Amino acid sequence: VDSQSLVVASNTTLSVADFTAAGSVQVRNGGVLRVAGGSSQFSSNVIVEAGGRWDVIQSARVQVDQGVTNRGEMHWISANQTFDLFGAGRVENEGLWEMFQDPASTCCFSSIEVPVHMAPSGRFLVSTNARVLMGNSQSLTVDGTLEVQDGALLLMQDNGGGHDVAVNASGRLIGRGLIRFTRPASRCRRTTKRSRQRGGLRRRRDSIPNSRS
Protein backbone atom coordinates (compact mmCIF):
# COMPACT_ATOMS: atom_id res chain seq x y z
CA VAL A 1 0.00 0.00 0.00
CA ASP A 2 1.80 3.10 -1.27
CA SER A 3 0.02 5.88 0.62
CA GLN A 4 0.82 8.30 3.41
CA SER A 5 -1.54 6.53 5.81
CA LEU A 6 -3.78 3.51 6.12
CA VAL A 7 -6.76 3.60 8.48
CA VAL A 8 -8.61 0.47 9.59
CA ALA A 9 -11.95 1.98 10.51
CA SER A 10 -14.47 0.90 13.15
CA ASN A 11 -16.34 -2.33 12.31
CA THR A 12 -13.77 -3.16 9.63
CA THR A 13 -11.45 -6.19 9.46
CA LEU A 14 -8.43 -5.96 7.17
CA SER A 15 -6.71 -9.33 6.55
CA VAL A 16 -3.26 -9.20 4.96
CA ALA A 17 -0.46 -11.55 3.88
CA ASP A 18 2.74 -10.58 2.06
CA PHE A 19 1.85 -6.96 2.71
CA THR A 20 3.82 -3.71 2.69
CA ALA A 21 2.60 -0.45 4.23
CA ALA A 22 4.78 2.49 3.17
CA GLY A 23 2.91 5.03 5.33
CA SER A 24 1.54 5.04 8.85
CA VAL A 25 -1.14 2.55 9.94
CA GLN A 26 -3.93 3.37 12.38
CA VAL A 27 -6.36 0.77 13.75
CA ARG A 28 -9.33 2.58 15.21
CA ASN A 29 -11.78 1.57 17.95
CA GLY A 30 -13.69 -1.45 16.61
CA GLY A 31 -11.24 -2.09 13.77
CA VAL A 32 -9.17 -5.27 13.31
CA LEU A 33 -5.88 -5.67 11.46
CA ARG A 34 -5.24 -9.40 10.88
CA VAL A 35 -1.96 -10.83 9.59
CA ALA A 36 -2.69 -14.23 8.06
CA GLY A 37 0.75 -15.43 7.05
CA GLY A 38 3.53 -14.40 4.73
CA SER A 39 5.89 -11.46 5.20
CA SER A 40 4.62 -7.99 6.11
CA GLN A 41 6.57 -4.75 6.37
CA PHE A 42 5.41 -1.63 8.19
CA SER A 43 7.73 1.18 7.17
CA SER A 44 6.16 3.90 9.35
CA ASN A 45 4.39 4.12 12.70
CA VAL A 46 1.60 1.72 13.66
CA ILE A 47 -0.99 2.83 16.23
CA VAL A 48 -3.64 0.50 17.63
CA GLU A 49 -6.21 2.70 19.35
CA ALA A 50 -8.17 1.69 22.45
CA GLY A 51 -10.80 -0.77 21.26
CA GLY A 52 -8.77 -1.70 18.17
CA ARG A 53 -7.03 -5.04 17.52
CA TRP A 54 -3.96 -6.30 15.69
CA ASP A 55 -3.88 -10.10 15.43
CA VAL A 56 -1.31 -12.48 13.95
CA ILE A 57 -3.13 -15.78 13.43
CA GLN A 58 -0.75 -17.76 11.18
CA SER A 59 3.00 -18.06 10.77
CA ALA A 60 4.32 -14.70 9.61
CA ARG A 61 7.36 -12.46 9.47
CA VAL A 62 6.49 -8.94 10.60
CA GLN A 63 8.99 -6.14 10.02
CA VAL A 64 8.49 -2.85 11.86
CA ASP A 65 10.79 0.02 10.93
CA GLN A 66 9.44 2.67 13.32
CA GLY A 67 7.26 2.70 16.44
CA VAL A 68 4.35 0.41 17.28
CA THR A 69 2.01 1.86 19.91
CA ASN A 70 -0.69 -0.48 21.21
CA ARG A 71 -3.51 1.05 23.25
CA GLY A 72 -5.97 -1.68 22.36
CA GLU A 73 -5.31 -5.41 22.01
CA MET A 74 -2.83 -7.55 20.09
CA HIS A 75 -3.21 -11.35 19.97
CA TRP A 76 -0.30 -13.16 18.31
CA ILE A 77 0.14 -16.90 17.78
CA SER A 78 2.94 -19.18 19.02
CA ALA A 79 3.95 -22.79 19.73
CA ASN A 80 3.23 -24.25 16.26
CA GLN A 81 2.26 -21.49 13.90
CA THR A 82 4.67 -18.72 14.93
CA PHE A 83 5.60 -15.10 14.22
CA ASP A 84 8.95 -13.36 13.84
CA LEU A 85 8.81 -9.67 14.79
CA PHE A 86 11.93 -7.75 13.75
CA GLY A 87 13.23 -4.50 12.28
CA ALA A 88 14.56 -1.13 13.40
CA GLY A 89 11.40 -0.21 15.33
CA ARG A 90 10.18 -0.79 18.87
CA VAL A 91 6.92 -1.60 20.68
CA GLU A 92 5.26 0.68 23.24
CA ASN A 93 2.55 -1.44 24.83
CA GLU A 94 -0.15 0.52 26.67
CA GLY A 95 -2.88 -2.10 26.24
CA LEU A 96 -2.94 -5.91 26.06
CA TRP A 97 -0.41 -7.87 24.03
CA GLU A 98 -1.09 -11.60 24.24
CA MET A 99 1.01 -14.43 22.85
CA PHE A 100 -1.24 -17.50 22.75
CA GLN A 101 -0.68 -21.18 22.04
CA ASP A 102 -1.63 -22.62 18.68
CA PRO A 103 -3.74 -25.59 19.88
CA ALA A 104 -2.08 -27.87 17.31
CA SER A 105 1.23 -28.11 19.21
CA THR A 106 3.64 -26.65 21.76
CA CYS A 107 6.76 -27.22 19.68
CA CYS A 108 8.04 -23.86 18.51
CA PHE A 109 8.90 -20.34 19.64
CA SER A 110 7.62 -17.08 18.29
CA SER A 111 10.36 -14.47 18.17
CA ILE A 112 10.50 -10.80 19.22
CA GLU A 113 13.64 -9.02 18.02
CA VAL A 114 12.78 -5.39 18.83
CA PRO A 115 12.84 -3.47 22.14
CA VAL A 116 9.60 -3.64 24.14
CA HIS A 117 8.34 -1.24 26.81
CA MET A 118 5.23 -1.95 28.87
CA ALA A 119 3.66 1.28 30.10
CA PRO A 120 1.92 1.27 33.51
CA SER A 121 -1.38 0.50 31.76
CA GLY A 122 0.19 -2.22 29.60
CA ARG A 123 -0.05 -5.98 29.98
CA PHE A 124 2.30 -8.43 28.24
CA LEU A 125 0.63 -11.84 28.48
CA VAL A 126 2.27 -15.14 27.57
CA SER A 127 -0.78 -17.40 27.83
CA THR A 128 -0.89 -21.02 28.95
CA ASN A 129 1.65 -23.19 27.06
CA ALA A 130 2.71 -20.37 24.74
CA ARG A 131 6.36 -20.12 23.65
CA VAL A 132 8.04 -16.73 23.12
CA LEU A 133 11.69 -15.88 22.52
CA MET A 134 13.13 -12.40 23.02
CA GLY A 135 16.00 -12.65 20.57
CA ASN A 136 18.82 -10.51 19.23
CA SER A 137 19.66 -9.34 22.78
CA GLN A 138 16.74 -6.91 22.88
CA SER A 139 15.59 -4.96 25.95
CA LEU A 140 12.39 -5.54 27.90
CA THR A 141 11.21 -2.80 30.28
CA VAL A 142 8.24 -3.44 32.57
CA ASP A 143 6.34 -0.52 34.09
CA GLY A 144 3.06 -2.42 33.74
CA THR A 145 2.29 -6.15 34.03
CA LEU A 146 4.27 -9.08 32.68
CA GLU A 147 2.26 -12.30 33.05
CA VAL A 148 3.59 -15.73 32.10
CA GLN A 149 0.86 -18.28 32.70
CA ASP A 150 1.09 -21.94 33.71
CA GLY A 151 3.12 -24.00 31.23
CA ALA A 152 4.25 -20.95 29.26
CA LEU A 153 7.89 -20.05 28.61
CA LEU A 154 9.48 -16.67 27.88
CA LEU A 155 13.07 -17.23 26.76
CA MET A 156 15.55 -14.37 26.81
CA GLN A 157 18.20 -15.34 24.27
CA ASP A 158 21.67 -13.85 24.57
CA ASN A 159 23.39 -13.39 21.22
CA GLY A 160 26.46 -11.81 22.79
CA GLY A 161 25.21 -8.24 23.23
CA GLY A 162 23.57 -8.77 26.61
CA HIS A 163 19.98 -8.16 27.71
CA ASP A 164 18.53 -5.27 29.67
CA VAL A 165 15.46 -6.56 31.53
CA ALA A 166 14.03 -4.02 33.95
CA VAL A 167 11.01 -4.49 36.22
CA ASN A 168 10.53 -1.01 37.62
CA ALA A 169 8.72 0.10 40.78
CA SER A 170 5.30 0.17 39.12
CA GLY A 171 5.88 -3.14 37.32
CA ARG A 172 4.37 -6.49 38.23
CA LEU A 173 5.66 -9.95 37.38
CA ILE A 174 2.94 -12.58 37.84
CA GLY A 175 1.86 -16.05 36.71
CA ARG A 176 3.04 -19.65 37.18
CA GLY A 177 5.11 -19.87 34.00
CA LEU A 178 8.86 -19.50 33.50
CA ILE A 179 11.19 -16.76 32.29
CA ARG A 180 14.55 -18.25 31.33
CA PHE A 181 17.82 -16.54 30.40
CA THR A 182 20.25 -18.28 28.09
CA ARG A 183 23.85 -18.55 29.20
CA PRO A 184 26.25 -17.01 29.83
CA ALA A 185 23.99 -15.57 32.52
CA SER A 186 26.47 -12.77 33.23
CA ARG A 187 25.55 -11.21 29.90
CA CYS A 188 21.89 -10.94 30.86
CA ARG A 189 21.50 -7.86 33.00
CA ARG A 190 18.42 -8.26 35.18
CA THR A 191 17.35 -5.08 36.95
CA THR A 192 14.45 -5.15 39.40
CA LYS A 193 13.10 -2.52 41.72
CA ARG A 194 10.82 -3.56 44.55
CA SER A 195 7.22 -2.86 43.68
CA ARG A 196 4.82 -1.39 46.16
CA GLN A 197 2.28 -3.97 44.96
CA ARG A 198 4.54 -7.04 45.14
CA GLY A 199 7.67 -8.15 46.92
CA GLY A 200 10.95 -9.09 45.33
CA LEU A 201 11.31 -11.84 42.77
CA ARG A 202 12.44 -15.38 43.47
CA ARG A 203 15.38 -16.36 41.29
CA ARG A 204 17.36 -19.32 40.08
CA ARG A 205 20.73 -19.12 38.37
CA ASP A 206 19.38 -18.76 34.84
CA SER A 207 15.62 -18.42 35.24
CA ILE A 208 12.94 -16.53 37.11
CA PRO A 209 9.84 -18.52 38.07
CA ASN A 210 7.06 -15.96 38.38
CA SER A 211 5.36 -14.98 41.61
CA ARG A 212 1.89 -16.43 41.78
CA SER A 213 -0.97 -14.09 40.94
Side-chain angles (χ1 to χ4, degrees), residues 112-115 134-140 155-166 181-191:
I112 299 172
E113 299 181 10
V114 299
M134 287 285 293
N136 201 25
S137 300
Q138 292 299 338
S139 64
L140 176 64
L155 179 63
M156 309 298 296
Q157 184 180 62
D158 176 23
N159 295 333
H163 279 296
D164 287 314
V165 182
F181 294 80
T182 61
R183 296 184 180 181
S186 60
R187 290 182 178 173
C188 298
R189 298 182 291 273
R190 292 166 289 178
T191 303

Side-chain angles (χ1 to χ4, degrees), residues 84-208:
D84 180 13
L85 176 64
F86 67 101
R90 59 182 296 115
V91 176
E92 178 74 16
N93 185 43
E94 301 175 11
L96 169 65
W97 188 8
E98 178 195 21
M99 272 58 69
F100 65 93
Q101 178 204 1
D102 180 347
S105 179
T106 57
C107 70
C108 307
F109 284 81
S110 288
S111 175
I112 299 172
E113 299 181 10
V114 299
V116 175
H117 174 240
M118 275 167 285
S121 60
R123 182 183 179 200
F124 186 102
L125 171 62
V126 185
S127 291
T128 300
N129 295 326
R131 297 287 185 268
V132 179
L133 181 150
M134 287 285 293
N136 201 25
S137 300
Q138 292 299 338
S139 64
L140 176 64
T141 305
V142 183
D143 286 301
T145 300
L146 171 58
E147 180 176 0
V148 183
Q149 292 186 342
D150 191 32
L153 175 60
L154 175 59
L155 179 63
M156 309 298 296
Q157 184 180 62
D158 176 23
N159 295 333
H163 279 296
D164 287 314
V165 182
V167 182
N168 293 326
S170 63
R172 298 195 308 155
L173 180 64
I174 62 175
R176 298 172 183 265
L178 188 67
I179 301 172
R180 176 168 291 159
F181 294 80
T182 61
R183 296 184 180 181
S186 60
R187 290 182 178 173
C188 298
R189 298 182 291 273
R190 292 166 289 178
T191 303
T192 60
K193 296 181 180 179
R194 185 173 297 274
S195 170
R196 295 185 181 92
Q197 299 173 341
R198 289 197 169 272
L201 306 178
R202 296 179 294 139
R203 299 183 179 180
R204 289 211 303 263
R205 182 176 178 182
D206 63 350
S207 62
I208 301 177

Side-chain angles (χ1 to χ4, degrees), residues 14-137:
L14 175 63
S15 294
V16 300
D18 293 319
F19 171 79
T20 299
S24 63
V25 176
Q26 183 178 22
V27 185
R28 291 184 173 168
N29 182 10
V32 179
L33 173 61
R34 182 173 294 153
V35 176
S39 296
S40 296
Q41 180 178 2
F42 298 86
S43 299
S44 190
N45 294 318
V46 180
I47 298 176
V48 182
E49 295 183 352
R53 284 182 58 153
W54 183 7
D55 296 343
V56 177
I57 61 171
Q58 294 180 16
S59 289
R61 287 173 56 81
V62 181
Q63 179 177 341
V64 293
D65 295 325
Q66 295 194 38
V68 174
T69 301
N70 173 41
R71 300 187 179 109
E73 297 184 8
M74 303 199 306
H75 301 273
W76 294 29
I77 199 165
S78 76
N80 182 43
Q81 300 275 336
T82 61
F83 68 85
D84 180 13
L85 176 64
F86 67 101
R90 59 182 296 115
V91 176
E92 178 74 16
N93 185 43
E94 301 175 11
L96 169 65
W97 188 8
E98 178 195 21
M99 272 58 69
F100 65 93
Q101 178 204 1
D102 180 347
S105 179
T106 57
C107 70
C108 307
F109 284 81
S110 288
S111 175
I112 299 172
E113 299 181 10
V114 299
V116 175
H117 174 240
M118 275 167 285
S121 60
R123 182 183 179 200
F124 186 102
L125 171 62
V126 185
S127 291
T128 300
N129 295 326
R131 297 287 185 268
V132 179
L133 181 150
M134 287 285 293
N136 201 25
S137 300

